């Protein structure tokens, strides 16, 4: 009997220990580390993700304000579990692919490549933070323009609109160099005004320039009622905004994928412009904007 009792005791102890380990593992799996880059849109996405997960029972620690390569490395080595990335960045920066691809092809390739690295790309949003060229309304040099082909025709006709750009854009093959080749025009050095990105909007608004290179989801586009020229020959890579997550973390917490996909489905260019503008133009706090958006969308 003593042997049987001892055996029962041993089995019970093992079961208790096993349950304790399972509970500890489940608790650890619920502790999610959210990352983000170092500009407005990414600060906002990291905050929205943090608030969304917290409201759904997860313990969350947030680490934003990182550069692209740093946040990516943090995801790969497990310092963070999830952050929002752009398909074009993954295609060009991480995979060194410069082929001109459709948005669907871009997403499929980066998803497949990262699956081999233990990273899962969830459902893409409809927000595409690619390069864009913006014009203001009621400017004789650009009135009637709707596309980059229209812009090329203006340069070829000698109208010489003045373009504000970032410092590196005129020197890049995926910038002005390739743009001119694709659309068949040459802007000319005298029509290019390289400057810091924060200065291109005032320069455009004040009439110092006729158009400006911007990020397509920048909040100042809507706030200033600017027009984005259609990239009708699809030169610029697609930069769809997508939640990326460590595959082992997703496997341990399938609910994460469901929640992040729900948030992703609510995002498009107009929404991101509006949200970014709330912060950059109307000077609301990131926490306030994130909370209001989640509440208004039932998240």
């Amino acid at each position: 009997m003593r042997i049987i009792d001892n055996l029962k005791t041993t089995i019970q102890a093992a079961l208790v220990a096993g349950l304790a380990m399972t509970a500890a593992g489940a608790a650890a799996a619920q502790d999610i580390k959210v990352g983000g880059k170092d500009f407005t849109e990414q600060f906002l996405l990291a905050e929205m993700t943090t608030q969304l997960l917290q409201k759904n029972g997860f313990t969350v620690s947030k680490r934003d304000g990182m550069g692209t390569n740093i946040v990516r490395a943090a995801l790969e080595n497990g310092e963070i579990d999830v952050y929002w990335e752009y398909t074009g960045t993954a295609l060009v920066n991480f995979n060194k692919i410069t082929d001109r691809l459709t948005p669907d092809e871009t997403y499929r390739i980066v998803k497949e490549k990262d699956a081999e690295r233990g990273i899962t790309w969830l459902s893409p949003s409809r927000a595409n933070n690619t390069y864009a060229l913006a014009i203001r309304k009621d400017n004789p040099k650009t009135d009637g323009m709707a596309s980059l082909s229209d812009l090329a025709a203006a340069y070829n006709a000698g109208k010489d609109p003045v373009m504000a750009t970032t410092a590196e854009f005129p020197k890049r093959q995926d910038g002005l160099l390739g743009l001119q080749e694709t659309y068949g025009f040459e802007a000319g050095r005298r029509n290019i005004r390289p400057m810091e990105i924060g200065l291109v909007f005032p320069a455009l608004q004040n009439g110092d320039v006729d158009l400006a290179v911007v990020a397509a989801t920048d909040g100042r586009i809507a706030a200033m009622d600017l027009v984005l020229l259609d990239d009708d020959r699809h030169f610029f890579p697609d930069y769809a905004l997508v939640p990326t997550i460590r595959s082992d973390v997703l496997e341990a917490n399938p609910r994460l994928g469901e929640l992040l996909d729900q948030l992703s489905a609510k995002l498009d260019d107009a929404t991101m412009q509006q949200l970014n503008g709330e912060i950059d133009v109307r000077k609301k706090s990131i926490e306030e904007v994130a909370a209001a958006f989640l509440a208004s969308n039932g998240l």
Side-chain angles (χ1 to χ4, degrees):
M1 290 293 293
R2 181 174 296 178
I3 293 174
I4 294 175
D5 288 341
N6 288 342
L7 181 59
K8 287 181 178 179
T9 301
T10 301
I11 292 172
Q12 289 172 346
L15 287 172
V16 171
L19 289 171
M21 290 178 63
T22 300
Q30 294 289 311
D31 186 7
I32 306 302
K33 302 181 289 293
V34 174
K37 302 187 188 184
D38 57 351
F39 52 93
T40 298
E41 182 166 279
Q42 286 276 318
F43 286 123
L44 176 60
L45 288 163
E47 180 62 25
M48 287 198 294
T49 301
T50 297
Q51 291 189 21
L52 175 64
L53 298 186
Q54 287 175 336
K55 289 177 184 295
N56 283 273
F58 291 92
T59 300
V60 183
S61 55
K62 183 177 65 172
R63 182 186 171 194
D64 53 15
M66 293 184 277
T68 293
N69 292 332
I70 295 173
V71 72
R72 169 66 179 208
L75 185 69
E76 291 180 350
N77 64 30
E79 292 179 30
I80 63 170
D81 299 317
V82 58
Y83 83 100
W84 294 72
E85 187 52 273
Y86 304 91
T87 52
T89 300
L91 187 74
V92 177
N93 290 37
F94 306 150
N95 294 294
K96 310 304 179 186
I97 297 172
T98 56
D99 299 342
R100 289 172 61 186
L101 304 171
T102 67
D104 288 343
E105 289 171 335
T106 300
Y107 174 73
R108 176 182 57 79
I109 287 175
V110 298
K111 184 180 179 72
E112 290 175 354
K113 293 283 188 183
D114 271 354
E116 301 170 1
R117 302 169 179 136
I119 297 171
T120 297
W121 285 69
L122 297 172
S123 298
S125 71
R126 289 167 292 143
N128 177 22
N129 194 15
T130 188
Y131 281 120
L133 273 76
I135 60 174
R136 67 182 186 276
K137 297 178 181 178
D138 301 319
N139 175 17
K141 277 195 176 182
T142 56
D143 279 348
M145 283 189 190
S147 68
L148 294 181
S149 289
D150 294 336
L151 176 64
Y155 279 117
N156 290 332
K159 293 185 178 180
D160 294 338
V162 178
M163 182 191 303
T165 77
T166 57
E168 74 277 4
F169 186 80
K171 308 169 188 176
R172 294 174 60 129
Q173 194 60 37
D174 62 346
L176 184 60
L177 296 178
L179 184 69
Q180 291 179 144
E181 292 174 7
T182 299
Y183 282 92
F185 74 95
E186 186 171 347
R189 292 181 61 181
R190 64 191 180 91
N191 296 318
I192 303 299
R193 301 285 189 276
M195 59 185 70
E196 294 182 7
I197 186 63
L199 299 178
V200 302
F201 288 96
L204 183 58
Q205 189 174 39
N206 297 337
D208 297 329
V209 298
D210 301 303
L211 67 152
V213 178
V214 300
T217 59
D218 195 295
R220 288 162 290 193
I221 295 169
M224 294 172 57
D225 196 24
L226 301 177
V227 175
L228 297 184
L229 298 178
D230 179 39
D231 182 10
D232 50 314
R233 296 190 182 179
H234 308 291
F235 168 71
F236 292 120
D238 190 68
Y239 283 80
L241 186 58
V242 186
T244 62
I245 185 169
R246 290 178 58 82
S247 301
D248 57 345
V249 174
L250 179 61
E251 184 177 352
N253 302 275
R255 179 68 173 144
L256 281 173
E258 298 171 14
L259 292 169
L260 291 169
D261 280 347
Q262 289 173 18
L263 177 54
S264 184
K266 302 291 185 182
L267 305 179
D268 56 22
D269 285 359
T271 298
M272 293 312 304
Q273 286 180 14
Q274 188 265 327
L275 292 174
N276 290 331
E278 291 290 308
I279 299 165
D280 286 335
V281 179
R282 295 174 181 84
K283 305 304 179 183
K284 293 183 180 180
S285 73
I286 291 171
E287 294 78 11
E288 177 186 6
V289 173
F293 178 79
L294 294 176
S296 65
N297 284 276
L299 297 174

